[in-house]
């Protein structure tokens, strides 16, 4: 079946969207970013509705799931997001890791490196996390700074693992972590870095490698793909892409009217009756990407000053339509609080030049409702009990 014929057969995608499997691959479990895709959906779409070396765009890049899937399947990609944390995660998932850089890395030596003038923790964060966790964080941060200066390819991976470590230590049930000795924490970093390095280095799918000609080695392909990839920490209201240059769009924009902590980490201490929302993830990411957008800007999907969700959505959709090739597909996954908002978004799609080929109502099971709507935290978001997948051209 030709690509064009396959591109009009959406039932397999819709079925997968209804019941995606939980991510198990290391590349997709690196960091739990708010409201991220389950990887099987973009992987299936990319594999079935694009060709090797096509350009895949995710204008709301989030946790880098689309970018990672595109890289693994031998496509070029463009990841846009306002959040430096999002871009750091995408960078860590798509880096071309060098074996020699991993051999140079000795996290046991972190015990002897500590850049006093470059501490990352604030006074409040230090008080909540306490030693030995604070000492571990500062020592690993010093190591990341050194790796970045040395242009070591593992710097983004170690930075994401540091944010993940802080997030875990900030959980309300993490008191046992504060009782562990410093060496145990350093061993965690050593083991996690080695594990992810191994899995992320094996970045080409077996199907792609089998499909490459003998005179086109996988390592050369990976290096070429690395050079062409783009992770951009900026608004998608002005995409740095040529007209009609994108072969496929896969994205999940913010849901209108929903409050999500995209760029904050909660540090909770029930024993002290204290809870603090920290932007330390963004501050660590700023070593690689500039910016610290307001929470409202991230939730509204646009720049500061454009507070209306649908105004932002219109600007984003206009750009998406401009860069997408005339006969190429856009898969847009979104959720809404009301049917009025849903219909308004559909109207925006049409008004900005898209033709909706299919709209799938993705009904959520009770556990997925709780997970995506935060009802397990007793937060009533008043969302509809279904999401929507729009297939457009």
């Amino acid at each position: 079946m030709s690509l064009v014929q396959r591109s009009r057969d959406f039932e397999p995608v819709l079925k997968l969207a209804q019941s995606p499997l939980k991510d198990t691959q290391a590349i997709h479990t690196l960091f739990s970013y708010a409201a991220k895709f389950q990887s099987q959906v973009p992987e299936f779409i990319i594999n079935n509705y694009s060709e090797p070396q096509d350009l895949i765009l995710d204008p709301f890049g989030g946790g880098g799931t689309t970018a990672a899937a595109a890289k693994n399947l031998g496509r070029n990609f463009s990841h846009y997001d306002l959040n430096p944390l999002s871009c750091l995660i995408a960078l860590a998932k798509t880096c071309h890791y060098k074996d020699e850089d991993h051999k140079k890395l000795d996290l046991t030596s972190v015990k002897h490196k500590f850049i006093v003038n470059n501490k990352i923790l604030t006074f409040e964060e230090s008080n909540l996390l306490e030693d030995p966790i604070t000492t571990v964080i500062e020592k690993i941060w010093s190591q990341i700074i050194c790796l970045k200066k040395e242009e070591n390819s593992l710097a983004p991976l170690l930075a994401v693992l540091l944010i993940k470590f802080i997030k875990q230590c900030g959980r309300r049930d993490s008191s046992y972590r504060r009782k562990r000795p410093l060496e145990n924490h350093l061993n965690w970093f050593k083991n996690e870095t080695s594990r992810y390095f191994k899995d992320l280095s094996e970045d080409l799918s077996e199907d792609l490698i089998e499909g490459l000609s003998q005179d086109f080695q996988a390592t050369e392909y990976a290096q070429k793909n690395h050079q062409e990839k783009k992770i951009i920490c900026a608004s998608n209201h002005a995409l740095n892409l040529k007209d009609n240059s994108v072969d496929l769009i896969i994205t999940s924009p913010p849901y209108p009217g929903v409050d999500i902590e995209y760029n904050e980490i909660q540090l909770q201490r029930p024993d002290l009756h204290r809870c603090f929302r920290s932007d330390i993830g963004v501050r660590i990411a700023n070593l690689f990407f500039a910016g610290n957008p307001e929470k409202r800007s991230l939730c509204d999907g646009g720049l500061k000053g454009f507070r209306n969700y649908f105004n932002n959505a219109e600007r984003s959709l206009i750009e998406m339509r401009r860069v997408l090739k005339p006969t190429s597909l856009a898969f847009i996954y979104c959720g809404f609080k009301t049917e009025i908002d849903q219909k308004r978004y559909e109207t925006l799609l049409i008004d900005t030049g898209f033709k909706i080929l299919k709209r799938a109502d993705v009904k959520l099971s009770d556990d997925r409702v709780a997970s995506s709507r935060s009802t397990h935290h007793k937060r009533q978001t008043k969302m509809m009990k279904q999401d929507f997948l729009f297939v457009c051209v």
Side-chain angles (χ1 to χ4, degrees):
M1 185 180 290
S2 71
L3 179 64
V4 174
Q5 287 174 317
R6 281 188 291 151
S7 68
R8 299 303 182 259
D9 178 15
F10 304 119
E11 290 309 313
V13 183
L14 307 183
K15 184 177 179 181
L16 185 60
Q18 294 284 356
S19 54
L21 301 174
K22 187 175 181 180
D23 288 333
T24 57
Q25 289 178 286
I27 189 172
H28 297 301
T29 61
L30 176 60
F31 191 88
S32 180
Y33 192 80
K36 81 174 186 71
F37 272 132
Q38 294 299 309
S39 63
Q40 291 86 0
V41 176
E43 283 175 352
F44 184 91
I45 293 171
I46 292 169
N47 202 34
N48 287 275
Y49 304 102
S50 71
E51 301 288 357
Q53 301 190 58
D54 276 358
L55 176 58
I56 315 300
L57 168 66
D58 188 345
F60 296 96
T65 307
T66 297
K71 182 210 174 189
N72 190 47
L73 292 168
R75 274 64 165 175
N76 296 306
F77 64 87
S78 187
H79 168 111
Y80 270 79
D81 205 288
L82 279 172
N83 192 356
L85 176 56
S86 158
C87 294
L88 174 60
I89 296 166
L91 181 62
K93 287 182 175 181
T94 59
C95 259
H96 177 59
Y97 292 110
K98 301 174 183 176
D99 189 55
E100 58 267 28
D101 285 345
H102 185 244
K103 290 177 180 177
K104 291 177 187 176
L105 190 64
D106 180 11
L107 290 176
T108 59
S109 68
V110 174
K111 289 182 283 187
H112 309 293
K113 289 186 178 182
F114 189 29
I115 305 174
V116 177
N117 294 328
N118 285 281
K119 288 187 175 182
I120 189 66
L121 292 170
T122 65
F123 179 78
E124 177 73 6
E125 291 162 351
S126 296
N127 282 344
L128 291 174
L129 291 167
E130 295 184 352
D131 251 345
I133 290 173
T134 54
T135 300
V136 172
I137 291 170
E138 296 295 359
K139 289 180 181 290
I140 295 293
W141 173 240
S142 295
Q143 181 79 336
I144 293 168
I145 293 174
C146 293
L147 293 177
K148 180 69 164 51
K149 288 180 179 178
E150 296 167 2
E151 298 185 348
N152 188 300
S153 61
L154 269 75
L157 174 60
L158 191 57
V160 172
L161 288 175
L162 178 57
I163 299 169
K164 183 177 185 177
F165 176 76
I166 295 170
K167 189 176 181 180
Q168 291 176 346
C169 292
R171 289 170 55 96
R172 60 172 48 248
D173 58 353
S174 65
S175 59
Y176 67 94
R177 295 181 189 275
R178 292 191 293 276
K179 298 174 183 178
R180 290 177 177 173
L182 183 144
E183 287 74 15
N184 283 27
H185 294 302
L186 293 180
N187 283 332
W188 180 87
F189 277 99
K190 179 181 178 181
N191 294 335
E192 288 292 282
T193 302
S194 295
R195 178 168 75 94
Y196 283 109
F197 169 78
K198 178 179 181 298
D199 289 328
L200 294 175
S201 295
E202 299 168 355
D203 54 7
L204 290 177
S205 69
E206 293 181 5
D207 290 341
L208 175 64
I209 293 173
E210 290 175 3
L212 294 173
S213 61
Q214 292 183 352
D215 60 346
F216 194 53
Q217 298 297 319
T219 53
E220 295 174 344
Y221 190 93
Q223 290 169 357
K224 182 176 185 293
N225 185 254
H226 169 67
Q227 293 168 354
E228 293 182 354
K229 74 178 191 237
K230 293 184 182 296
I231 298 171
I232 302 172
C233 191
S235 167
N236 58 33
H237 292 176
L239 297 171
N240 188 24
L241 294 166
K242 295 180 180 179
D243 294 359
N244 307 320
S245 61
V246 172
D247 298 286
L248 179 66
I249 292 177
I250 307 171
T251 197
S252 180
Y255 295 5
V258 177
D259 188 39
I260 296 180
E261 295 161 1
Y262 290 106
N263 60 345
E264 295 178 338
I265 294 174
Q266 285 200 47
L267 304 180
Q268 303 177 77
R269 285 293 299 271
D271 56 319
L272 301 177
H273 305 288
R274 293 167 71 185
C275 178
F276 178 70
R277 286 187 172 89
S278 167
D279 67 348
I280 190 167
V282 173
R283 300 201 313 269
I284 291 172
N286 284 157
L287 186 63
F288 304 85
F289 298 95
N292 191 358
E294 291 182 344
K295 176 181 176 181
R296 192 68 261 156
S297 295
L298 295 175
C299 293
D300 283 344
L303 295 170
K304 183 178 180 181
F306 292 90
R307 297 293 294 273
N308 183 285
Y309 176 90
F310 289 98
N311 285 347
N312 279 313
E314 181 179 20
R315 292 161 67 93
S316 300
L317 290 170
I318 288 172
E319 277 295 275
M320 290 161 60
R321 181 57 273 176
R322 176 183 68 81
V323 301
L324 187 65
K325 292 179 178 178
T327 58
S328 293
L329 296 170
F331 291 80
I332 304 171
Y333 189 99
C334 199
F336 307 93
K337 285 188 173 182
T338 67
E339 189 176 345
I340 293 175
D341 283 349
Q342 172 219 325
K343 295 296 184 184
R344 187 175 179 185
Y345 194 84
E346 288 187 28
T347 301
L348 267 185
L349 284 169
I350 297 168
D351 289 346
T352 52
F354 284 100
K355 178 182 178 182
I356 302 174
L357 300 179
K358 186 76 174 180
R359 189 202 77 191
D361 299 2
V362 183
K363 299 192 183 300
L364 304 178
S365 59
D366 289 342
D367 59 328
R368 289 182 69 199
V369 168
S371 176
S372 62
R373 308 297 194 246
S374 294
T375 54
H376 55 312
H377 292 309
K378 297 182 180 180
R379 292 172 60 187
Q380 181 50 260
T381 61
K382 299 181 180 178
M383 294 289 292
M384 300 170 72
K385 288 191 176 181
Q386 63 194 47
D387 289 338
F388 299 87
L389 177 61
F390 300 99
V391 186
C392 306
V393 68

